[in-house]
Amino acid sequence: MEVLVLEIEDPGCFWVTMKGCGPYVVNEIEYKNLNAEMNQFYDKSYKDVDEVKPPMVEEGQICVVFSEELKCWCRAVIKSIMYCTDHYQTECFLVDYAKYIFVKSKDIRVALEAFMQIPYRAKKCRLYRTKPVTLRIDFCEDTAKIVPAKRWDSAATRYFQNLLKATTQMKAKLCAVEDNTFDVFLYVTIKDEKVCVNDDLVSKNFARFEEANEITGSSADYQENQTSLNVESLPVKTVNPALAFRPVLFKEKVSTDLETDPALSSSFLEETYQRSSTDLNENTVPSFQNLSEERNFVFLSNKIEPSSVLETAPLFDDLKKELTRKKFLGPNFTESYCWPPVARGCDVVAISYQGNDPFLYIPPVLTFLQSGSCYKALPNRNGPLALILCPGWKKAQLVFELLKTYERCSRQLHPMLIILGQNKEEARSVKIRGCELIVTTPYSLLRLFEHHSLLFCRLCHLVLDEIEVLFSDATKQVFTILDCYKKAIITEEWEYSPHQIIAVGTRWNKHIAHLIKEFMNDPYIVITAMEEASIYGNVQQVVRPCTNSERTAVLLKILDFTHDNLQKVLVFTNSVNEAEMVHKALKSNSIFSLKIHKESKFNFKCILEQWTKKYSSGIHVVLVLTDDCMQSLGITDATCVIHFSFPSPRIFGERLHSMSDNFCKVIKDSSVDQEYTKARSVILLTENSACHALGILRYLQHAEAEIPSELHDFTAKMLEAEEDKKFSRPLCAYLKTFGICKNRTVCPDRHQINLQIDVPQNIPDKIIQTSGCVTILPLHIVNATNYFGRIVDKQKDQYTTLAEEINEYFKKPSNKISVKNVEKLAFYGLCEKTLFHRVQVIEISPKEEENLFFNVKIQYIDEGRTSQVQSYQLLHLPARFQCLPPQAVEFVVCRVKPVDNEMEWNPKVTHYIHHKIKGKLHEAKIVHTLGNTAWVDPMVRITRLSDLKMSVNEYNVRSEILSTGLGTDNPEHITQLQKLCRHMKVLDHAKNLEPLSIKEDTAGPENASNPQNLSMQENSTENCNSSKITFGNHPCDGVPQTKEAEDSTLYQHKRFYPEIKWFQNEETVTMKVKIASVADCKCEFSKEKVVFSACSGDKLCLADMELHQYILAEKSTCVIKDKEAIIVLAKEKKGAWCKLLKNKNPHVSFDFEHWEDFEDKSPFPVGTKKLYCTAAVTEELVDSSEGSGTESDE
């Protein structure tokens, strides 16, 4: 893979960073985002520096330090410590930049776990099997000879450095990983000639190959073998490179032997351990390559000459120098195609996997803005020249920080970050005088435009960042802005001024077609994401459900058609045996086909000759192949791809590339327009396709393709299984804070109730059982609506007494006993400044043998905050101080959320609320509790006027948030949580309460009266109610709060099975559920089951019905009318059902009122329709005879 050298010591020790992508390479965007987040956190988030300063430092410790040279916070490892009179200095190694710097103690911070998740950017390397030599002179014999040496000669190091400086491209082949050092074969390109550095040093007598029986001794021996060396011929230490250079404190315990992970070993060994002759000679016959190797693809609407080297990039010189100084690794592949048209002022649409990286447009836009002469024709008014629209405040802040960094080397643009809420006065007070570049969001811009009508009068450059997010979250607002921009540039004064729209993103969106048609002028469309290019190219996606054994028959049916044009079809299989089987089947059915795979006798040249021949119209050319042949063949003119084996999402994109020549370049409004479809992709969906079904489903939904119900069934089960895996995780923070989580599929946390975890904790029972009015003390502010603190007892606060006793106890030096053996989850004492706290150890860092002390992560159990401390700081806590349960409770303020569909609170609001409420007593009403979380509404600060003997409501926290303009009403907050809890109760009853089941053994009244069954019923109900989950009502509703923890026997009387009547026709079954005053109705359909649940007054109604035959779940419906629910089931196969349920139920009966109706409507009065009723009546008669104890023959 391609690498960039950061620092060189000698050929046995140099530092690189890896470019491109791969199974163990972190994208450069992630490092940029990490750097921006660290700067934001350590610069702004903590005003109290003591909270993030380490209590002590020691050699080998991982930390974050401030670099004066780089002007930013960096991850580092402490190498040595020098003590001075009033402070100490440390020598640190910057693990992302490969630099050694000296840092004062004031510039060292604790390394948070969140900032240590990705591997270090700088990778330590050495040349594989290449060892130093020296010239040994024997004065006695007057001879000199080259012998092995322990250190590298200075001449060898100097030659090595010069060689790497002169290169235009550098690649490395990884052979082993040992002690966090990569052993590599290094290849450099100098004047269009590729050189192996390992070989070159040996040939120049600067080094020698390490002698070993298993390895070829020289490059000459190596070059004699023109085929790829087998991996077994290289004795390598197979270490998982994904684990190398990860922060030591946070490494996962994963086996380092690649053989234990077959999915990784096959691709990794093939890609990194083969040292084939194609590395040195690009003209040799192509060999099999692994698909995980980076393959650059670009789809262009207009021809672009890429700028792949920074020196030749279309940027101004000072910006190039600044980028070089900051070790910028660019331009990358997408940037090399985006920068030239953007720098020329052209309209550009760029869709890429790196489409959320602002560097796609920032450098060329800054370059264009340097030429002031372009803007002389514009009116001499106040207004920006460039406007960058971001999807949210967080992205806008990141873009603004980057602009501030690189604006220093350009002319003064005075960029502004404008984030406005609903406060009109704030928008009116914004001054944009002298500002030439604004970064904002669509909502904020329109609020600003209301008070600054000349905002667009000088606007030349409009940038839409993360275009797919903008169009999905703010479609109306974005098109309003585009309309304003279009109207502004129609005037004559714009005739000689630039006007440019740039849209970048990671996914194609259907609104982009309208953007291109209506607002852009012959744009350059750059798409480097294959799957997105296929959507833009209007590739028709077809899914054919079938069983695994039917695939061949379905394939033959697909190929059995005539077409006016030449059809070139690729049939992809995932194994040699499968390819042979398919080829044989095609041949036996007289279909002309070719085949190619690893074991095939034919070479690529012959196959390509057959494929590229000129054929007449209407002919089918079919090629059966395995995935590992794709890159070597390089086919791009296929008209149809058939996925005989179900593809993974990554392989799917590679397969679609084979049709890229037939991608349609006509911009259209609909995603799939048959008139313009030239390429077709057919997926055979079988019962074995579940592993990759979810990724393919998301892609098909994105492509707006027709999706069969079978694929929905696959993915529904997968999503359910994924959620079940999260059952022990904490409840999703977004669900708690806002009542909704937008990204459930990628969110790592739980989205359902877990009775074991969500039992109320640290909340007194008397509060749950009464009105829920409490006094709370917020101590740790997470964000504007989420806090940790204590519930204060007005009569007698036990914690206050305990805190006084703990501080009195630890005042005696003899009581401050440091803990020797720290245990996870144990309770200890901790001194912070002058106060002592109870803390619990929640995580222990791996203890290094040479360190006497080590880091531990602790939680203040009475305040809720967490911190990292040294083990020696923990003090023994007597048992009497551990009797009182932890007092920390999480509080969530209800019915308020951020404006503009944001999912995170703006720091302005959080900062304002933090200073407003921290450490102050508030009165609150608890309206809902789960686990250790209490939802409060309202939460009010009350000031007591002792002289007047009265109290005044100083402020309401929710109202204060709304007054900032950055918060808005969220009326569904608690309703969503209550629905979640009710759904949990319904499912719990369905699984555990036997009387509600429709199984045959419990349907009859005789079973319900069985003493043993009743015992089981009571136990299950008791388990259900033991959680004490409370549902509160808002105080304004005027309805008293209900108690959910009811007596189990009483609850038995509050649930019932509804009366159900049913009838049918040829295509549907209609069920009428008799139920009065329906509330919270829910009906879930699956292929062979219907679950209906609802609340009727204070009773719970539940019917769990296992059907006699299959239905189409997606076409079945449930509607509430008057005092009944009407459920219409769409039959999978037309025809009569002899009965509705697999097992009979006394509450379900046939509706005889509709018998005559069917006969009247039938075109055959005495025929088919009557049979439906006869079958159903027969079932009813049989059921009744069985109930009476008599036998009946069918």
Side-chain angles (χ1 to χ4, degrees), residues 291-306:
L291 288 174
S292 62
E293 187 175 340
E294 181 183 6
R295 181 183 183 183
N296 291 329
F297 160 83
V298 64
F299 185 85
L300 304 171
S301 60
N302 298 303
K303 187 177 180 181
I304 299 174
E305 194 63 39

Side-chain angles (χ1 to χ4, degrees), residues 882 946 953:
Q882 300 182 32
S946 55
N953 289 355

Side-chain angles (χ1 to χ4, degrees), residues 723 726 729-744 747-754 758 783 785-786 890 892-897 903-904 928 930 933 935 970 972-981 983-984:
E723 279 297 324
K726 305 174 187 176
R729 294 277 305 165
L731 190 64
C732 171
Y734 294 108
L735 204 61
K736 289 195 289 188
T737 311
F738 308 125
I740 187 172
C741 177
K742 286 185 177 179
N743 299 312
R744 288 196 174 204
C747 178
D749 291 329
R750 175 167 51 92
H751 300 93
Q752 53 186 325
I753 303 300
N754 183 337
D758 294 327
N783 58 44
T785 55
N786 189 202
E890 182 182 19
V892 178
V893 173
C894 300
R895 297 187 304 116
V896 63
K897 63 182 179 180
M903 289 304 291
E904 293 188 40
H928 193 71
L930 281 176
T933 305
W935 283 262
N970 184 14
E972 297 296 316
H973 187 180
I974 288 299
T975 307
Q976 292 293 336
L977 287 168
Q978 290 177 344
K979 281 183 180 178
L980 189 70
C981 295
H983 179 57
M984 174 275 300

